[in-house]
Amino acid sequence: MVQTIARRLAAALRERPELSLRALAAQSHVGRQTIGDLLAGATWPDVLTVCRLESALGLALWPGSNTTQCAHD
């Protein structure tokens, strides 16, 4: 599951070259290092982290998730 999330996150960043890790971190309120660790497969994200990233990107990272239902704050 984590590999799927990391692949989808990496693909989203490749498709949006103007979106840096720093910009995604600011938009999602997820630390830049946390995002980097997730991309490297060095960490397991919690549900809140996935939710925040999905909301910032406007796409599902977790298979079968619905970003419109992701309320985190």
Side-chain angles (χ1 to χ4, degrees), residues 16-43:
R16 301 176 191 181
E18 75 285 354
L19 185 62
S20 66
L21 288 185
R22 186 173 305 225
L24 179 57
Q27 290 177 18
S28 65
H29 304 286
V30 173
R32 185 180 54 82
Q33 186 63 48
T34 300
I35 297 169
D37 288 347
L38 174 56
L39 286 168
T43 188

Side-chain angles (χ1 to χ4, degrees), residues 4-16 39 57 61:
T4 299
I5 293 168
R7 278 193 303 269
R8 289 179 178 187
L9 178 57
L13 289 170
R14 276 193 307 275
E15 290 172 8
R16 301 176 191 181
L39 286 168
L57 292 167
L61 297 174

Side-chain angles (χ1 to χ4, degrees), residues 2-4 15-18 22 29 31 45-46 48 55 60 65-66 72-73:
V2 173
Q3 291 175 345
T4 299
E15 290 172 8
R16 301 176 191 181
E18 75 285 354
R22 186 173 305 225
H29 304 286
D46 60 25
L48 181 59
S55 293
S65 71
N66 181 344
H72 57 77
D73 291 321

Side-chain angles (χ1 to χ4, degrees), residues 43-70:
T43 188
W44 285 69
D46 60 25
V47 174
L48 181 59
T49 298
V50 173
C51 183
R52 287 179 172 172
L53 291 169
E54 287 182 340
S55 293
L57 292 167
L59 60 88
L61 297 174
W62 187 272
S65 71
N66 181 344
T67 60
T68 62
Q69 294 179 352
C70 189

